[in-house]
Structures are given as C-alpha cells and as structure tokens.
Amino acid sequence: DVKVTQSSRYLVKRTGEKVFLECVQDMDHENMFWYRQDPGLGLRLIYFSYDVKMKEKGDIPEGYSVSREKKERFSLILESASTNQTSMYLCASSSSGGPYEQYFGPGTRLTVT
Amino acid sequence: KQEVTQIPAALSVPEGENLVLNCSFTDSAIYNLQWFRQDPGKGLTSLLLIQSSQREQTSGRLNASLDKSSGRSTLYIAASQPGDSATYLCAVVGTASKLTFGTGTRLQVTL
C-alpha cells in the first residue's frame, strides 16, 4: 500500500516564525502536492512538484514556498507564519503515469497564534 | 476554470438505507474522477477512481458512476452502516494531473 506520512499531526507556532511541514512518500511517485483545507473553502492547492527540484504554483501560493531535494520528500515552508495560515495542511502524491490517483497523508493541523 | 459541486451538503439516513451522493463538474475534459472519504480531523482516504474512458467502478458496497458528457458522477452506498458516517469528497483530475475538489457531502448514518 502507498504510504504518505507527514511530520506532525498538530503544530502550534507563533506569528512571524518560520515553519517547515514535511511530507514523505514511499511509492517512488514523481508527483507531490500540498493542499490546505478550510471550512467552507474546501481543499485548495498550494504548490506541486513533478520531479526533484521542480515546483509549480497552485491556486494559493502566496506566503508559502516549497522544497524538493529528494524524490520521496516534499517540504512546505511558511517563511513568516501569520494567523491566516492557521489551517489543516494535506500532502499527497501520485505517479506521473496515468491514472493519476492521488494518495493523501494524515494531515497537519497548524495553529498560528 | 473547473468547478465541482456536490449535492447535498449534508445527509442523514437510518442504518440499512441505500443512498446516492452527487457530484457535478463544469469542464468535461477530465482524465479521471476520484471519490474520497474523510473522517473528522483526518486525511483523505481514496475510495474509488474512475478513468475518463470508464462508466463505473465498484468496491464492496460502493459503486461510482461517471457520465463525462453531462459532467456528472454519483457514489452509491448500499446498506449503509454507522461506520460510513464521514465526509465524502469528489475530485476531478484535469491538466497537469491536478485535482479540483468539491466541497463535500457530510453523511451521518443513524442507528
């Protein structure tokens, strides 16, 4: 079975801190994704990556950056956390060949105070 | 821009009932459609994936159909159980293998 893990289930940070969210997948998938999920807004794509050292902006990239130095690991970085970045963050991965089924991690609930 | 709508937003049914969840999308140029389940505070679990060339997929008590030309998918749950209580999300894969999600249907199955 595909396994996607995220470094923390719950995280509390202060405004202005630099925050790293880590995601690791064990299925040699080329594609990796970061989403945030908010009540009433659903899941929105922040960034995605097709390969090592490659990244593409999603629908809401402002205030975030990403890093993919190894194929299995995709990191989301909040350069200077703000209270409006309090959210559930979900990582996913998929193969580059069809049918592009995405597999999700358990999520990180981030609270910025 | 692709838009995905799920109706109803919430549903409560007694145990044992068969039920249908609906998903509609505005752009029929999709690669596949995926149905997920999400328990409160948890990640998403993939239930079924229907490729654009397929009409339906089945897994146990779940059956998902796809009518690409009309922009619709349904998830049929047979003989519902309290353990089926969760939020169900549909998502379509468009260009660049990116998912566009609906806002979900929150299902409660009562004893």
Side-chain angles (χ1 to χ4, degrees), chain A residues 5-51:
Chain A
T5 57
Q6 295 182 227
S7 51
S8 305
R9 290 300 310 280
Y10 302 94
L11 209 51
V12 180
K13 296 292 182 180
R14 293 193 180 278
T15 302
E17 277 192 83
K18 190 169 187 176
V19 181
F20 292 86
L21 303 182
E22 304 282 340
C23 175
V24 177
Q25 50 92 7
D26 67 358
M27 280 301 291
D28 202 36
H29 283 166
E30 293 79 13
N31 302 333
M32 295 189 75
F33 306 83
W34 275 105
Y35 298 87
R36 65 177 281 177
Q37 185 177 30
D38 301 286
L41 296 176
L43 278 103
R44 295 176 291 168
L45 181 64
I46 305 171
Y47 266 98
F48 60 103
S49 169
Y50 291 128
D51 204 346

Side-chain angles (χ1 to χ4, degrees), chain B residues 78-96:
Chain B
S80 58
Q81 302 171 358
D84 295 330
S85 298
T87 296
Y88 291 81
L89 295 156
C90 74
V92 298
V93 177
T95 58

